[in-house]
Amino acid sequence: MSELQQKRFNVREIRDEFPALRQQIYGKNLIYFDNGATSQKPKLVLDAINQFYSKENANIHRGVHFMSQKATTEYEAARQRIQQYIGARKSEEIIFTKGTTDSINLVAFSFGHLLSAGDEILISAMEHHSNIVPWQMLCERQGCILKVAPINQRGELRMDEFERLLSKKTKLVSITHISNTLGTVNPVKEIIEKAHAVGAKVLIDGAQSIQHMHINVKELNCDFYAFSSHKVFGPTGIGVLYGKEDLLDRMPPYQGGGDMISRVTFERTTYNELPFKFEAGTPHIAGGICLGKAFEFLSSIDMAAAEKHERELAKYAEDMLDTFEGLQIIGEAKNKTSVVSFSVKGIHPFDIGTLLDKQGIAVRTGHHCTQPLMDFYQIPGTVRASFAFYNTKEEIDTFVAAVERSLSMLK
Amino acid sequence: MNLTEKQEEIIQEFEIFDDWMEKYEYIIDLGKDLPQIDEDKKTEDRLIEGCQSRVWLDANYANGHMHFTADSDAIITKGIIGLLIRVLDNEAPETVATADLFFIEKIGLQEHLSPTRANGLLGMVKRLKLEAIKHISTAS
């Protein structure tokens, strides 16, 4: 493959491809450390958005005219590119959704339809609300039982407890690959093997992993893998659910409407084949095509080098922050990446975030949609710096100095 | 001093600051100086829950005027509360209810009162005005 030969990793060069990184905020050079919330977009994606709406905009799948056919071809080519990138067997296994949340809700609804009262769903204590609430709703609808595997103080999943909770009653394990708040990398391969051993299916919430490491769903052998476009350098409003074909085939449609049908009469409707069965209505066409472009961009990056760089950034930031009096790093898993969350005794994260913002630094403060995790650590929230491969050690030096200045003002 | 004069005074105070950090240094000092609400008054009904920081507001009416004390778990929020109370405290309920708090934008703090900021301040201003409206109806 020619793409393999072209793989590269040069932070300076990569940064040049992201126009949003070259701006000033409150008179300071922007330091963007909120990549866990959303990533910035490379020029390849930005140009594709402009190109699509300037010249190629048409509805897909049903048109007889030139533009419609071209848009359809590009949209389906994007699906294939994603399939190849994540190592899915078929492009039919790639369902376009609105994002990770929508992907998980799809599984909760459609796979949930196959479950019965008393069946168990196992999640972990470090899940995002998007991987908690859909299961609570399913449990309310169908009398299933939600089990939560605990974590230790370092923010690692307690595998002994996880295994204890796993049983023949477990029908689905739904777990995050990387914690958005702690940066913990979960041992998903081991989790998948253990879940399969009792006959449970596994959904991996990949919202925080696909942009940080090489993902191959066939090697992982997960049953579902969900992610959002906007966190992986693509546009907002679109995401992906990967699912194994035989499972997706057995699941009823999620929403009804155009595109997902085979034949409609008032008496009975038959459904379209995969993947269209799960894609009711006109999809986010530009989003799909430009997500394909984001994967074209990603395919050119040496992800192993990128992952190493991000881990170094996190370690570098953590080592310096750790020396500040009263500052506690939240999430000290042995295997962690790209996220540094911290809280400071007697100081509200909101205040630190506000002062960092005025120094041109974008971080996230608050509970990060993981309130149960904040309850576990008994804190109102954290300041979270989350890195992408375009961030630099120089940016971290500036960030650490800005944290120091903020803390001296707030104490 | 009337409501407009009080706001003009604050705007003047903020004019001396050259940059954002100096401005926030001042707000933080205001927050540290703000008389705290009594702990026993930090009750559920006085709490305005923001997504991030929380605000407690105690409103009283005496001799034709509204009196407010408030607190927050975030010091910057608390500093801005201090400014709001400086403007609105000891005013007639009618004045509080119809107050145009133009100083907030003039000193560049409007982001803290935006619905997306989630720090409880917008909720606090709404609550301040509601409390005042209650006493307009009591008075009439």
Side-chain angles (χ1 to χ4, degrees), chain B residues 103-131:
Chain B
F103 80 101
I104 288 286
E105 196 171 341
K106 287 265 192 234
I107 61 175
L109 296 181
Q110 65 276 16
E111 67 184 73
H112 290 280
L113 280 162
S114 87
T116 56
R117 194 69 184 182
N119 56 9
L121 274 178
L122 186 66
M124 188 190 99
V125 172
K126 279 187 192 155
R127 182 80 68 89
L128 274 166
K129 292 193 169 188
L130 270 178
E131 290 290 338

Side-chain angles (χ1 to χ4, degrees), chain B residues 17-67:
Chain B
F17 301 123
D18 289 334
D19 74 6
W20 282 101
M21 292 305 270
E22 283 181 13
K23 209 182 266 189
Y24 273 90
E25 205 141 26
Y26 183 61
I27 294 167
I28 290 163
D29 285 342
L30 291 175
K32 286 175 181 165
D33 292 345
L34 186 74
Q36 286 179 5
I37 201 167
D38 295 335
E39 275 305 315
D40 62 335
K41 284 190 173 164
K42 282 189 177 178
T43 52
E44 274 299 309
D45 58 324
R46 291 188 180 88
L47 175 67
I48 299 142
E49 191 87 51
C51 191
Q52 297 214 9
S53 62
R54 312 201 293 172
V55 174
W56 291 266
L57 174 70
D58 185 40
N60 292 293
Y61 173 79
N63 307 321
H65 293 91
M66 296 300 299
H67 297 283

Side-chain angles (χ1 to χ4, degrees), chain A residues 26 28 348 350-351 354-355 357-359 365-367 405-406 409-411, chain B residues 20-21 24-25 28 32 51-53 73-77 111-112 117 119:
Chain A
Y26 304 112
K28 316 269 184 203
H348 201 286
F350 175 84
D351 290 324
T354 302
L355 294 181
D357 171 49
K358 295 296 173 289
Q359 296 170 85
T365 66
H367 53 64
R405 184 173 179 197
S406 306
M409 283 167 71
L410 291 164
K411 267 178 183 159
Chain B
W20 282 101
M21 292 305 270
Y24 273 90
E25 205 141 26
I28 290 163
K32 286 175 181 165
C51 191
Q52 297 214 9
S53 62
D73 49 1
I75 196 83
I76 291 171
T77 307
E111 67 184 73
H112 290 280
R117 194 69 184 182
N119 56 9

Side-chain angles (χ1 to χ4, degrees), chain A residues 17-236:
Chain A
E17 294 173 47
F18 288 81
L21 298 176
R22 290 193 299 268
Q23 57 183 314
Q24 293 209 320
I25 305 291
Y26 304 112
K28 316 269 184 203
N29 289 331
L30 167 69
I31 293 181
Y32 188 77
F33 284 172
D34 196 18
N35 296 284
T38 196
S39 66
Q40 297 303 335
K41 320 300 172 199
K43 205 165 169 298
L44 192 68
V45 170
L46 298 173
D47 289 348
I49 294 171
N50 190 19
Q51 165 81 8
F52 178 79
Y53 284 117
S54 307
K55 291 192 177 156
E56 298 164 359
N57 177 49
N59 210 331
I60 55 171
H61 292 150
R62 288 169 298 271
V64 293
H65 61 83
F66 178 83
M67 282 169 76
S68 172
Q69 286 175 16
K70 187 163 187 294
T72 304
T73 305
E74 286 202 33
Y75 189 72
E76 292 307 320
R79 197 192 301 275
Q80 275 173 16
R81 185 178 275 284
I82 295 162
Q83 172 224 331
Q84 284 158 10
Y85 186 90
I86 67 169
R89 286 166 191 84
K90 295 178 169 182
S91 64
E92 285 84 346
E93 295 179 320
I94 305 298
I95 313 289
F96 282 125
T97 63
K98 286 186 287 185
T100 309
T101 301
D102 193 36
S103 297
I104 296 175
N105 275 280
L106 189 161
V107 176
F109 181 88
S110 296
F111 179 78
H113 203 76
L114 309 175
L115 303 184
S116 314
D119 284 347
E120 292 179 3
I121 292 136
L122 179 55
I123 62 172
S124 85
M126 68 177 88
E127 299 308 319
H128 189 280
H129 295 164
S130 293
N131 198 22
I132 302 173
V133 184
W135 309 116
Q136 289 174 328
M137 290 164 72
L138 168 66
C139 290
E140 267 177 39
R141 272 197 313 271
Q142 275 172 239
C144 300
I145 298 157
L146 186 64
K147 298 274 179 176
V148 184
I151 57 171
N152 62 26
Q153 276 297 324
R154 289 195 302 276
E156 294 161 325
L157 184 68
R158 287 188 53 189
M159 282 306 286
D160 53 339
E161 288 291 315
F162 172 81
E163 284 179 57
R164 200 179 57 77
L165 289 165
L166 204 57
S167 76
K168 288 264 180 264
K169 288 188 203 157
T170 314
K171 298 299 173 214
L172 184 76
V173 172
S174 190
I175 194 156
T176 190
H177 195 168
I178 296 179
S179 158
N180 69 312
T181 305
L182 309 172
T184 307
V185 183
N186 277 318
V188 285
K189 204 151 177 17
E190 188 186 343
I191 287 168
I192 292 163
E193 278 168 17
K194 295 208 156 110
H196 284 171
V198 299
K201 304 297 180 196
V202 183
L203 184 155
I204 301 296
D205 172 352
Q208 300 290 342
S209 64
I210 194 159
Q211 64 277 50
H212 297 301
M213 57 177 67
H214 173 71
I215 296 294
N216 186 302
V217 291
K218 206 158 55 189
E219 280 168 19
L220 281 175
N221 198 19
C222 54
D223 301 283
F224 301 105
Y225 183 92
F227 67 90
S228 300
S229 156
H230 70 95
K231 292 190 206 286
V232 62
F233 315 107
T236 55

